[in-house]
Amino acid sequence: MNSNILFLPFRRTHSAQLSTAIKQYISTKYDQHPDMFTQDLETIDRMRTEAVTTLEPHVSGTKKIQAYAAQLVWIGGKFPIDIGIDFTWYPALGFNTQRPESQNSLRFEHANILYNLAALYSQLAVTLNRTTSEGLKSANNYFCQAAGVILYLKNEVVPDLRSTPPEDMDAMTLSCIEQLLLAQAQECFWSKAVKDGMKDGIIAKLAAKVSDFYDQAAEYGTKSETISTEWIHHMTAKHHHFAAAAQYRAACDCLEKRKYGEEVARLRDSVACVNEALKESRWINKLVLGDLNGLKMRVTEDLKRAEKDNDIIYLVPVPAKSELKTLDRAGMASARVPKEISEPSSTLGDRGVFGQPLFAKLVPHSVHIAASIYAERRDRIVNASIIGELEESTSKLRDLLRSLNLPGSLQALEKPLGLPPSLISHAEEIRQQDGLHRLRRSIYEVEKLRANDRATYEEGVNFLRSEASEDDRAKLKHGTDRWTRKHSQEAADRLYLQIGEIDGYLKSASSSDELVVGKLTDFEPELQILGGTNRDLEEFVPNSRGVTMPPKVQKEASRLRSVLGEVNRLETRRKKKIESLREKAKADDINTVILAEAARIERDYPMQKIEPIHFEDLFEKRLRRYDDDRIMVADEREEQDYISTQLQEANSAFANVRKGDTSTREREQALQKLENAYTKHKEIIANLETGRKFYNDLATIVNRFRDACKSFAYQRRVEAKQIESDLSTAMLSLDLSKNHDLHDQKQREILHPQYKTTAPANEPLAAPTPTRAPVVPPSASPNPAMWSPEVGIKFGGMTAGSAASQSTGARHDPAYPITRSANANQVGQPRGGQWDPSRGLRFG
């Protein structure tokens, strides 16, 4: 740090083609062609390049960053935040400034852009000439705007990221930065007050507020994992510095008001605060330290003068520190969010300083979501509340007919010979629909769809299992103390929750499929006959002997036939209503209406982000068109209840008048079996269509699940590689430290050897410098056994001393020669003492 104030460094990023992701999204999700927005696509890339390359403190950079930030907010209403591009940014603070973080999120990009805007404001403040009143005033304004951007980032942007914020954007770090910027803004105003010669009482209040800001900043900094200790020491020193300055100015004010005792007390407290600040002298820069020493010298001199004057002249009691009134605060710094950030709507449009919003003619993504929400509600009302109720009522009516053995019992009596016309009609309908072949083909297609969905689901599950297995192996390898990231199930709890949900869907659907296959198996013989020729039908349906119906039987049969006609008309009318309702729902296109509503919202509230909730009133009003159909369902239910009662009564009377007549029983049973098979055929077709639609819808869910699992596994692998790389780097650093220690030890041994082991063959052997205390050699006669290079090296027998040493198991350390006994100077035995370099080496 080369200044007595700090600035916020920029976050760095890589180049990214936002236009590519937007173009791809438009082509796949919108009806409009991306070529309609060629100019907008080029503009958004240019704006990003200008914004992220603004890394110099120049006032023109603020407009570039603000313009790009405003467009990001605007297009956030047009596209989803995970549009399909990874924005890579490097932290500006902390210990991992070389480790980038990537997120597929427009909000992540917006957060980083705002961070850099705050950094730019702070650097603009630092580069100003703060020796003038105008320069200090402008610096105060820049610091306040920087604090405002950080405050907006902390309260509005980071909570809406939908992901874990970067490590230097957590709440404690941003709060520390905000308070630091406010402290420096207040300090600039304090400096201006001093320069302008304001009263000491006012300057004391300003300084006290500076001290408070620095104190809060330091407190937040200690709770942050990214604020450096250098910054914390700086803020702590500044806190005590301005506490001392505040007391000093208050003392000067006391002198002016002739409060001599309080003057001395406040000067003493000022000295104490300066001494507290000087405890940080080891970690603060020279400029801050120089300011502190200058303040201490001035305060100390004034304290000596004040104590002397009071002791000799005024004799006023000096109050204790606890008795001193707490200084008032005068805050002249507050976090001011630039209007371009808090109200980006004012910067875009016909009157906006940043021009027209990009992709203005593109239908917002939220409008598509709203349209899909309406379609889902409409289909739920139509299919479940209306059509579903009608079909359920029809099914109950058919079950009633089957239980009453109708219309088989009536057909057998009315037409004892040949085939009834209704049976021929049903058989022809089944033949046109390809009978059993269609059912088997549909079952095969449904099973194929189910298998594909199951395979896609299993693929996603395998991604998760593989990732979890890799994570477990990494924990076993590195240990849980070092491998501290979340377990797979905690990191992807939603995906693991989906495993059970999707598996439940598949199992439930598989059970339903088995029921459908069971229905087909039960009625397959009859359906085979219905799908055959009329001759097959005639062979299956036996003729009964002709009987003359008594008047009572004929009367009840006619009554029953009339009621069955009502039943058929009810079913036919209901079928037409269902088809009409489906056509009505299909034609219910809300896109035009919802686009008009979106245009109205954009016109009335230009920069309000359009959300699906804005269309709730429109949905409610639009869905009222199905109220009459809901009433119709209730009417249909009442009419069916009445007809069912009439049918049961007519059939009961018909059965009573025919009691004991078994002449048509076999024909009656055969006709009823074929009628039941025809009904079941229609039911199976409806079931298979429902199954096909279910599996097609499920395919979207499982594909999204698989892609999410694949993306999660990839991100976890990248994260694991980074963690392993960090661990390896840490271990390598430890090994290098150990190797460095060993290297230093070897270097010391080389520089201070104990024995020289080799020497050039044609030069005298150089003696090493002794490294131990000299030992006075005992008196002895010279030994002629002197080595000479000309005669080579000769080895003699083992000396007595060495033999004694080996016999006793003693180990010889060449650094410490073996001491000799009193007879060690006898002839033939080696001598002890200090080696004389002039005599060379002696062996033997």
Short mmCIF file of all heavy atoms in Angstrom, two decimals, residues 410-466:
data_model
loop_
_atom_site.label_atom_id
_atom_site.label_comp_id
_atom_site.label_asym_id
_atom_site.label_seq_id
_atom_site.Cartn_x
_atom_site.Cartn_y
_atom_site.Cartn_z
N LEU A 410 -81.32 -58.71 -24.03
CA LEU A 410 -82.40 -58.19 -24.87
C LEU A 410 -82.19 -58.55 -26.34
O LEU A 410 -83.14 -58.90 -27.05
CB LEU A 410 -82.48 -56.66 -24.70
CG LEU A 410 -83.65 -55.97 -25.39
CD1 LEU A 410 -84.99 -56.52 -24.87
CD2 LEU A 410 -83.58 -54.47 -25.19
N GLN A 411 -80.91 -58.49 -26.79
CA GLN A 411 -80.64 -58.83 -28.18
C GLN A 411 -80.93 -60.31 -28.46
O GLN A 411 -81.46 -60.66 -29.53
CB GLN A 411 -79.17 -58.53 -28.51
CG GLN A 411 -78.83 -57.05 -28.57
CD GLN A 411 -77.35 -56.81 -28.78
OE1 GLN A 411 -76.54 -57.71 -28.58
NE2 GLN A 411 -77.01 -55.59 -29.18
N ALA A 412 -80.61 -61.17 -27.50
CA ALA A 412 -80.85 -62.60 -27.70
C ALA A 412 -82.33 -62.90 -27.83
O ALA A 412 -82.74 -63.80 -28.56
CB ALA A 412 -80.25 -63.38 -26.54
N LEU A 413 -83.15 -62.13 -27.13
CA LEU A 413 -84.59 -62.36 -27.19
C LEU A 413 -85.20 -61.75 -28.46
O LEU A 413 -86.04 -62.36 -29.12
CB LEU A 413 -85.26 -61.79 -25.95
CG LEU A 413 -86.78 -61.96 -25.85
CD1 LEU A 413 -87.14 -63.45 -25.77
CD2 LEU A 413 -87.33 -61.20 -24.66
N GLU A 414 -84.79 -60.56 -28.81
CA GLU A 414 -85.39 -59.87 -29.94
C GLU A 414 -84.95 -60.45 -31.28
O GLU A 414 -85.71 -60.44 -32.24
CB GLU A 414 -85.04 -58.38 -29.90
CG GLU A 414 -85.71 -57.64 -28.75
CD GLU A 414 -85.34 -56.17 -28.74
OE1 GLU A 414 -84.29 -55.81 -29.30
OE2 GLU A 414 -86.12 -55.37 -28.17
N LYS A 415 -83.70 -60.93 -31.33
CA LYS A 415 -83.21 -61.49 -32.58
C LYS A 415 -82.57 -62.84 -32.29
O LYS A 415 -81.36 -62.93 -32.11
CB LYS A 415 -82.22 -60.54 -33.24
CG LYS A 415 -81.86 -60.92 -34.67
CD LYS A 415 -81.01 -59.84 -35.31
CE LYS A 415 -80.64 -60.22 -36.73
NZ LYS A 415 -81.79 -60.46 -37.61
N PRO A 416 -83.44 -63.90 -32.24
CA PRO A 416 -82.90 -65.23 -31.89
C PRO A 416 -82.02 -65.82 -32.98
O PRO A 416 -81.22 -66.72 -32.70
CB PRO A 416 -84.15 -66.06 -31.65
CG PRO A 416 -85.20 -65.40 -32.47
CD PRO A 416 -84.89 -63.95 -32.45
N LEU A 417 -82.09 -65.35 -34.19
CA LEU A 417 -81.32 -65.87 -35.30
C LEU A 417 -80.44 -64.77 -35.89
O LEU A 417 -80.82 -63.59 -35.90
CB LEU A 417 -82.24 -66.44 -36.39
CG LEU A 417 -83.19 -67.56 -35.96
CD1 LEU A 417 -84.11 -67.94 -37.11
CD2 LEU A 417 -82.40 -68.77 -35.47
N GLY A 418 -79.25 -65.16 -36.39
CA GLY A 418 -78.37 -64.21 -37.05
C GLY A 418 -77.66 -63.32 -36.05
O GLY A 418 -77.57 -63.60 -34.85
N LEU A 419 -77.13 -62.22 -36.56
CA LEU A 419 -76.34 -61.29 -35.75
C LEU A 419 -77.10 -59.99 -35.57
O LEU A 419 -77.64 -59.43 -36.53
CB LEU A 419 -75.00 -61.00 -36.43
CG LEU A 419 -74.09 -62.21 -36.65
CD1 LEU A 419 -72.85 -61.80 -37.44
CD2 LEU A 419 -73.68 -62.83 -35.31
N PRO A 420 -77.13 -59.46 -34.37
CA PRO A 420 -77.77 -58.18 -34.15
C PRO A 420 -77.03 -57.06 -34.90
O PRO A 420 -75.80 -57.10 -35.04
CB PRO A 420 -77.67 -57.97 -32.63
CG PRO A 420 -77.44 -59.33 -32.08
CD PRO A 420 -76.67 -60.07 -33.11
N PRO A 421 -77.75 -56.05 -35.41
CA PRO A 421 -77.09 -54.97 -36.16
C PRO A 421 -76.04 -54.24 -35.33
O PRO A 421 -74.99 -53.84 -35.86
CB PRO A 421 -78.26 -54.04 -36.51
CG PRO A 421 -79.45 -54.93 -36.49
CD PRO A 421 -79.20 -55.93 -35.41
N SER A 422 -76.29 -54.02 -34.03
CA SER A 422 -75.31 -53.33 -33.20
C SER A 422 -74.01 -54.11 -33.10
O SER A 422 -72.92 -53.54 -33.10
CB SER A 422 -75.88 -53.10 -31.80
OG SER A 422 -76.20 -54.33 -31.18
N LEU A 423 -74.11 -55.46 -33.05
CA LEU A 423 -72.91 -56.28 -32.98
C LEU A 423 -72.13 -56.18 -34.28
O LEU A 423 -70.89 -56.08 -34.27
CB LEU A 423 -73.30 -57.74 -32.70
CG LEU A 423 -72.14 -58.74 -32.66
CD1 LEU A 423 -71.15 -58.37 -31.56
CD2 LEU A 423 -72.67 -60.16 -32.44
N ILE A 424 -72.81 -56.20 -35.41
CA ILE A 424 -72.13 -56.06 -36.69
C ILE A 424 -71.43 -54.70 -36.77
O ILE A 424 -70.30 -54.59 -37.27
CB ILE A 424 -73.14 -56.23 -37.84
CG1 ILE A 424 -73.73 -57.65 -37.81
CG2 ILE A 424 -72.49 -55.95 -39.18
CD1 ILE A 424 -74.82 -57.87 -38.85
N SER A 425 -72.10 -53.64 -36.27
CA SER A 425 -71.50 -52.30 -36.28
C SER A 425 -70.23 -52.24 -35.41
O SER A 425 -69.21 -51.68 -35.81
CB SER A 425 -72.52 -51.29 -35.78
OG SER A 425 -71.95 -50.02 -35.66
N HIS A 426 -70.29 -52.86 -34.24
CA HIS A 426 -69.12 -52.87 -33.36
C HIS A 426 -67.96 -53.64 -33.97
O HIS A 426 -66.81 -53.22 -33.88
CB HIS A 426 -69.50 -53.47 -32.01
CG HIS A 426 -70.44 -52.63 -31.23
ND1 HIS A 426 -71.16 -53.13 -30.14
CD2 HIS A 426 -70.83 -51.33 -31.36
CE1 HIS A 426 -71.91 -52.17 -29.65
NE2 HIS A 426 -71.75 -51.08 -30.38
N ALA A 427 -68.28 -54.77 -34.58
CA ALA A 427 -67.24 -55.57 -35.21
C ALA A 427 -66.58 -54.81 -36.36
O ALA A 427 -65.35 -54.84 -36.53
CB ALA A 427 -67.83 -56.89 -35.71
N GLU A 428 -67.38 -54.10 -37.16
CA GLU A 428 -66.83 -53.33 -38.27
C GLU A 428 -65.92 -52.21 -37.75
O GLU A 428 -64.87 -51.92 -38.34
CB GLU A 428 -67.98 -52.74 -39.10
CG GLU A 428 -67.53 -52.00 -40.34
CD GLU A 428 -66.79 -52.91 -41.32
OE1 GLU A 428 -67.05 -54.13 -41.32
OE2 GLU A 428 -65.94 -52.39 -42.07
N GLU A 429 -66.30 -51.60 -36.66
CA GLU A 429 -65.47 -50.54 -36.07
C GLU A 429 -64.12 -51.09 -35.61
O GLU A 429 -63.07 -50.46 -35.85
CB GLU A 429 -66.22 -49.92 -34.88
CG GLU A 429 -65.46 -48.78 -34.21
CD GLU A 429 -66.21 -48.22 -33.02
OE1 GLU A 429 -67.43 -48.48 -32.91
OE2 GLU A 429 -65.58 -47.53 -32.20
N ILE A 430 -64.12 -52.23 -35.00
CA ILE A 430 -62.86 -52.83 -34.54
C ILE A 430 -61.99 -53.23 -35.72
O ILE A 430 -60.77 -53.06 -35.71
CB ILE A 430 -63.16 -54.04 -33.63
CG1 ILE A 430 -63.76 -53.55 -32.30
CG2 ILE A 430 -61.91 -54.86 -33.37
CD1 ILE A 430 -64.12 -54.65 -31.35
N ARG A 431 -62.62 -53.76 -36.80
CA ARG A 431 -61.84 -54.14 -37.97
C ARG A 431 -61.16 -52.92 -38.60
O ARG A 431 -60.01 -52.99 -39.03
CB ARG A 431 -62.75 -54.82 -38.99
CG ARG A 431 -63.29 -56.17 -38.55
CD ARG A 431 -64.09 -56.82 -39.65
NE ARG A 431 -64.93 -57.89 -39.14
CZ ARG A 431 -66.25 -57.96 -39.26
NH1 ARG A 431 -66.91 -56.99 -39.88
NH2 ARG A 431 -66.92 -58.98 -38.77
N GLN A 432 -61.89 -51.79 -38.65
CA GLN A 432 -61.31 -50.59 -39.24
C GLN A 432 -60.14 -50.06 -38.40
O GLN A 432 -59.23 -49.43 -38.95
CB GLN A 432 -62.40 -49.51 -39.35
CG GLN A 432 -63.45 -49.81 -40.41
CD GLN A 432 -64.53 -48.74 -40.45
OE1 GLN A 432 -64.52 -47.80 -39.66
NE2 GLN A 432 -65.47 -48.89 -41.39
N GLN A 433 -60.18 -50.31 -37.13
CA GLN A 433 -59.08 -49.88 -36.26
C GLN A 433 -57.97 -50.92 -36.14
O GLN A 433 -57.07 -50.78 -35.31
CB GLN A 433 -59.64 -49.57 -34.85
CG GLN A 433 -60.61 -48.40 -34.83
CD GLN A 433 -61.16 -48.14 -33.45
OE1 GLN A 433 -60.87 -48.86 -32.49
NE2 GLN A 433 -61.97 -47.09 -33.33
N ASP A 434 -58.03 -51.96 -36.98
CA ASP A 434 -57.00 -53.00 -37.05
C ASP A 434 -56.99 -53.89 -35.81
O ASP A 434 -56.01 -54.59 -35.54
CB ASP A 434 -55.62 -52.38 -37.26
CG ASP A 434 -54.65 -53.36 -37.89
OD1 ASP A 434 -55.10 -54.41 -38.39
OD2 ASP A 434 -53.43 -53.10 -37.85
N GLY A 435 -58.04 -53.86 -35.02
CA GLY A 435 -58.27 -54.81 -33.95
C GLY A 435 -57.09 -55.05 -33.04
O GLY A 435 -56.46 -54.13 -32.52
N LEU A 436 -56.79 -56.35 -32.85
CA LEU A 436 -55.73 -56.75 -31.93
C LEU A 436 -54.36 -56.25 -32.37
O LEU A 436 -53.50 -55.97 -31.53
CB LEU A 436 -55.70 -58.27 -31.81
CG LEU A 436 -56.74 -58.89 -30.86
CD1 LEU A 436 -56.68 -60.40 -30.96
CD2 LEU A 436 -56.50 -58.45 -29.43
N HIS A 437 -54.12 -56.15 -33.67
CA HIS A 437 -52.81 -55.70 -34.15
C HIS A 437 -52.50 -54.28 -33.66
O HIS A 437 -51.38 -53.99 -33.25
CB HIS A 437 -52.77 -55.75 -35.68
CG HIS A 437 -52.91 -57.14 -36.24
ND1 HIS A 437 -51.93 -58.09 -36.09
CD2 HIS A 437 -53.92 -57.74 -36.91
CE1 HIS A 437 -52.32 -59.22 -36.66
NE2 HIS A 437 -53.53 -59.04 -37.17
N ARG A 438 -53.51 -53.43 -33.70
CA ARG A 438 -53.30 -52.07 -33.22
C ARG A 438 -53.01 -52.06 -31.72
O ARG A 438 -52.10 -51.33 -31.24
CB ARG A 438 -54.52 -51.21 -33.51
CG ARG A 438 -54.39 -49.80 -32.94
CD ARG A 438 -55.66 -49.02 -33.08
NE ARG A 438 -55.52 -47.72 -32.43
CZ ARG A 438 -56.47 -46.81 -32.35
NH1 ARG A 438 -57.66 -47.07 -32.90
NH2 ARG A 438 -56.28 -45.66 -31.74
N LEU A 439 -53.74 -52.85 -30.98
CA LEU A 439 -53.53 -52.88 -29.53
C LEU A 439 -52.13 -53.39 -29.21
O LEU A 439 -51.44 -52.82 -28.36
CB LEU A 439 -54.58 -53.75 -28.86
CG LEU A 439 -56.05 -53.27 -28.96
CD1 LEU A 439 -56.97 -54.24 -28.23
CD2 LEU A 439 -56.18 -51.87 -28.39
N ARG A 440 -51.71 -54.48 -29.87
CA ARG A 440 -50.38 -55.03 -29.59
C ARG A 440 -49.28 -54.04 -30.01
O ARG A 440 -48.26 -53.90 -29.32
CB ARG A 440 -50.22 -56.36 -30.31
CG ARG A 440 -51.07 -57.47 -29.71
CD ARG A 440 -51.10 -58.68 -30.61
NE ARG A 440 -51.89 -59.77 -30.03
CZ ARG A 440 -52.41 -60.76 -30.73
NH1 ARG A 440 -52.24 -60.80 -32.06
NH2 ARG A 440 -53.13 -61.70 -30.12
N ARG A 441 -49.49 -53.38 -31.15
CA ARG A 441 -48.50 -52.41 -31.61
C ARG A 441 -48.42 -51.23 -30.64
O ARG A 441 -47.33 -50.74 -30.31
CB ARG A 441 -48.88 -51.93 -33.00
CG ARG A 441 -47.84 -51.00 -33.64
CD ARG A 441 -48.11 -50.79 -35.12
NE ARG A 441 -49.44 -50.22 -35.35
CZ ARG A 441 -50.45 -50.88 -35.87
NH1 ARG A 441 -50.30 -52.16 -36.24
NH2 ARG A 441 -51.63 -50.30 -36.06
N SER A 442 -49.56 -50.79 -30.15
CA SER A 442 -49.57 -49.69 -29.19
C SER A 442 -48.91 -50.09 -27.88
O SER A 442 -48.16 -49.31 -27.28
CB SER A 442 -51.01 -49.24 -28.93
OG SER A 442 -51.60 -48.73 -30.11
N ILE A 443 -49.16 -51.33 -27.44
CA ILE A 443 -48.51 -51.80 -26.22
C ILE A 443 -46.99 -51.85 -26.40
O ILE A 443 -46.22 -51.46 -25.51
CB ILE A 443 -49.06 -53.19 -25.83
CG1 ILE A 443 -50.50 -53.04 -25.32
CG2 ILE A 443 -48.19 -53.84 -24.77
CD1 ILE A 443 -51.17 -54.36 -25.01
N TYR A 444 -46.54 -52.29 -27.57
CA TYR A 444 -45.10 -52.35 -27.85
C TYR A 444 -44.50 -50.95 -27.83
O TYR A 444 -43.42 -50.72 -27.26
CB TYR A 444 -44.86 -53.02 -29.20
CG TYR A 444 -43.42 -52.92 -29.68
CD1 TYR A 444 -42.44 -53.72 -29.13
CD2 TYR A 444 -43.06 -51.99 -30.66
CE1 TYR A 444 -41.12 -53.62 -29.55
CE2 TYR A 444 -41.76 -51.88 -31.10
CZ TYR A 444 -40.80 -52.70 -30.53
OH TYR A 444 -39.49 -52.59 -30.96
N GLU A 445 -45.20 -49.98 -28.43
CA GLU A 445 -44.70 -48.60 -28.47
C GLU A 445 -44.64 -48.01 -27.06
O GLU A 445 -43.68 -47.32 -26.71
CB GLU A 445 -45.59 -47.76 -29.37
CG GLU A 445 -45.50 -48.13 -30.85
CD GLU A 445 -46.52 -47.38 -31.68
OE1 GLU A 445 -47.35 -46.65 -31.09
OE2 GLU A 445 -46.48 -47.52 -32.93
N VAL A 446 -45.67 -48.29 -26.27
CA VAL A 446 -45.67 -47.78 -24.89
C VAL A 446 -44.53 -48.40 -24.10
O VAL A 446 -43.84 -47.72 -23.32
CB VAL A 446 -47.03 -48.05 -24.23
CG1 VAL A 446 -46.96 -47.77 -22.72
CG2 VAL A 446 -48.11 -47.19 -24.86
N GLU A 447 -44.31 -49.70 -24.27
CA GLU A 447 -43.22 -50.36 -23.57
C GLU A 447 -41.87 -49.81 -24.00
O GLU A 447 -40.93 -49.67 -23.19
CB GLU A 447 -43.28 -51.87 -23.81
CG GLU A 447 -44.45 -52.56 -23.12
CD GLU A 447 -44.51 -54.04 -23.44
OE1 GLU A 447 -43.80 -54.46 -24.38
OE2 GLU A 447 -45.26 -54.77 -22.76
N LYS A 448 -41.75 -49.47 -25.27
CA LYS A 448 -40.50 -48.88 -25.77
C LYS A 448 -40.26 -47.51 -25.16
O LYS A 448 -39.14 -47.18 -24.75
CB LYS A 448 -40.55 -48.79 -27.29
CG LYS A 448 -39.25 -48.34 -27.92
CD LYS A 448 -39.35 -48.36 -29.45
CE LYS A 448 -38.03 -47.91 -30.08
NZ LYS A 448 -38.12 -47.91 -31.56
N LEU A 449 -41.33 -46.71 -25.09
CA LEU A 449 -41.20 -45.40 -24.44
C LEU A 449 -40.81 -45.55 -22.98
O LEU A 449 -39.97 -44.79 -22.47
CB LEU A 449 -42.53 -44.64 -24.56
CG LEU A 449 -42.93 -44.15 -25.95
CD1 LEU A 449 -44.33 -43.56 -25.91
CD2 LEU A 449 -41.94 -43.11 -26.46
N ARG A 450 -41.43 -46.53 -22.31
CA ARG A 450 -41.10 -46.76 -20.90
C ARG A 450 -39.65 -47.18 -20.75
O ARG A 450 -38.94 -46.72 -19.84
CB ARG A 450 -42.03 -47.83 -20.31
CG ARG A 450 -41.81 -48.08 -18.82
CD ARG A 450 -42.71 -49.18 -18.33
NE ARG A 450 -42.36 -50.45 -18.94
CZ ARG A 450 -43.21 -51.45 -19.14
NH1 ARG A 450 -44.48 -51.31 -18.81
NH2 ARG A 450 -42.81 -52.57 -19.69
N ALA A 451 -39.18 -48.06 -21.63
CA ALA A 451 -37.79 -48.51 -21.56
C ALA A 451 -36.83 -47.35 -21.81
O ALA A 451 -35.79 -47.25 -21.14
CB ALA A 451 -37.56 -49.63 -22.59
N ASN A 452 -37.17 -46.47 -22.75
CA ASN A 452 -36.30 -45.31 -23.02
C ASN A 452 -36.24 -44.39 -21.82
O ASN A 452 -35.17 -43.89 -21.45
CB ASN A 452 -36.81 -44.56 -24.25
CG ASN A 452 -36.61 -45.34 -25.54
OD1 ASN A 452 -35.77 -46.23 -25.62
ND2 ASN A 452 -37.38 -45.01 -26.56
N ASP A 453 -37.40 -44.15 -21.22
CA ASP A 453 -37.42 -43.30 -20.04
C ASP A 453 -36.63 -43.93 -18.90
O ASP A 453 -35.88 -43.24 -18.19
CB ASP A 453 -38.86 -43.05 -19.58
CG ASP A 453 -39.61 -42.13 -20.53
OD1 ASP A 453 -38.97 -41.57 -21.44
OD2 ASP A 453 -40.85 -42.00 -20.39
N ARG A 454 -36.79 -45.24 -18.73
CA ARG A 454 -36.05 -45.93 -17.69
C ARG A 454 -34.56 -45.87 -17.95
O ARG A 454 -33.76 -45.65 -17.02
CB ARG A 454 -36.54 -47.38 -17.60
CG ARG A 454 -35.71 -48.29 -16.72
CD ARG A 454 -35.74 -47.90 -15.27
NE ARG A 454 -37.02 -48.18 -14.65
CZ ARG A 454 -37.25 -48.02 -13.35
NH1 ARG A 454 -36.29 -47.57 -12.55
NH2 ARG A 454 -38.45 -48.28 -12.84
N ALA A 455 -34.14 -46.04 -19.21
CA ALA A 455 -32.72 -46.00 -19.54
C ALA A 455 -32.14 -44.60 -19.28
O ALA A 455 -31.03 -44.46 -18.74
CB ALA A 455 -32.52 -46.40 -21.00
N THR A 456 -32.90 -43.58 -19.68
CA THR A 456 -32.42 -42.22 -19.44
C THR A 456 -32.32 -41.94 -17.95
O THR A 456 -31.35 -41.32 -17.47
CB THR A 456 -33.39 -41.21 -20.09
OG1 THR A 456 -33.52 -41.52 -21.48
CG2 THR A 456 -32.87 -39.79 -19.94
N TYR A 457 -33.31 -42.40 -17.20
CA TYR A 457 -33.30 -42.23 -15.75
C TYR A 457 -32.10 -42.95 -15.13
O TYR A 457 -31.39 -42.39 -14.29
CB TYR A 457 -34.61 -42.77 -15.18
CG TYR A 457 -34.59 -43.06 -13.70
CD1 TYR A 457 -34.60 -42.05 -12.76
CD2 TYR A 457 -34.56 -44.38 -13.25
CE1 TYR A 457 -34.59 -42.32 -11.40
CE2 TYR A 457 -34.56 -44.67 -11.89
CZ TYR A 457 -34.57 -43.64 -10.97
OH TYR A 457 -34.55 -43.92 -9.63
N GLU A 458 -31.86 -44.20 -15.55
CA GLU A 458 -30.73 -44.96 -15.02
C GLU A 458 -29.41 -44.30 -15.37
O GLU A 458 -28.45 -44.34 -14.58
CB GLU A 458 -30.76 -46.39 -15.56
CG GLU A 458 -31.92 -47.25 -15.06
CD GLU A 458 -31.79 -47.56 -13.57
OE1 GLU A 458 -30.70 -47.34 -13.00
OE2 GLU A 458 -32.78 -48.01 -12.97
N GLU A 459 -29.34 -43.68 -16.55
CA GLU A 459 -28.12 -42.98 -16.94
C GLU A 459 -27.84 -41.84 -15.98
O GLU A 459 -26.70 -41.63 -15.55
CB GLU A 459 -28.26 -42.46 -18.37
CG GLU A 459 -26.98 -41.85 -18.92
CD GLU A 459 -27.15 -41.39 -20.36
OE1 GLU A 459 -28.23 -41.61 -20.94
OE2 GLU A 459 -26.19 -40.79 -20.89
N GLY A 460 -28.89 -41.07 -15.64
CA GLY A 460 -28.70 -40.00 -14.68
C GLY A 460 -28.30 -40.52 -13.31
O GLY A 460 -27.43 -39.95 -12.65
N VAL A 461 -28.95 -41.60 -12.87
CA VAL A 461 -28.60 -42.19 -11.57
C VAL A 461 -27.16 -42.67 -11.56
O VAL A 461 -26.44 -42.51 -10.56
CB VAL A 461 -29.58 -43.34 -11.24
CG1 VAL A 461 -29.12 -44.07 -9.98
CG2 VAL A 461 -30.99 -42.82 -11.05
N ASN A 462 -26.72 -43.26 -12.68
CA ASN A 462 -25.33 -43.74 -12.76
C ASN A 462 -24.34 -42.59 -12.66
O ASN A 462 -23.25 -42.74 -12.09
CB ASN A 462 -25.13 -44.51 -14.06
CG ASN A 462 -25.82 -45.86 -14.04
OD1 ASN A 462 -26.08 -46.43 -12.98
ND2 ASN A 462 -26.17 -46.37 -15.21
N PHE A 463 -24.70 -41.44 -13.24
CA PHE A 463 -23.83 -40.26 -13.10
C PHE A 463 -23.66 -39.92 -11.62
O PHE A 463 -22.55 -39.65 -11.16
CB PHE A 463 -24.43 -39.07 -13.85
CG PHE A 463 -24.14 -39.07 -15.33
CD1 PHE A 463 -25.19 -38.96 -16.24
CD2 PHE A 463 -22.84 -39.15 -15.80
CE1 PHE A 463 -24.94 -38.96 -17.60
CE2 PHE A 463 -22.59 -39.14 -17.16
CZ PHE A 463 -23.63 -39.05 -18.07
N LEU A 464 -24.77 -39.92 -10.88
CA LEU A 464 -24.70 -39.58 -9.46
C LEU A 464 -23.94 -40.64 -8.67
O LEU A 464 -23.13 -40.32 -7.80
CB LEU A 464 -26.11 -39.43 -8.89
CG LEU A 464 -26.94 -38.25 -9.41
CD1 LEU A 464 -28.31 -38.23 -8.75
CD2 LEU A 464 -26.23 -36.93 -9.16
N ARG A 465 -24.19 -41.91 -8.99
CA ARG A 465 -23.49 -42.98 -8.26
C ARG A 465 -22.00 -42.94 -8.54
O ARG A 465 -21.18 -43.13 -7.63
CB ARG A 465 -24.07 -44.33 -8.67
CG ARG A 465 -25.48 -44.59 -8.15
CD ARG A 465 -26.05 -45.87 -8.71
NE ARG A 465 -27.40 -46.15 -8.18
CZ ARG A 465 -28.19 -47.09 -8.66
NH1 ARG A 465 -27.78 -47.87 -9.66
NH2 ARG A 465 -29.39 -47.28 -8.13
N SER A 466 -21.64 -42.70 -9.79
CA SER A 466 -20.23 -42.63 -10.14
C SER A 466 -19.55 -41.46 -9.43
O SER A 466 -18.45 -41.60 -8.89
CB SER A 466 -20.08 -42.48 -11.66
OG SER A 466 -18.74 -42.31 -12.02
#
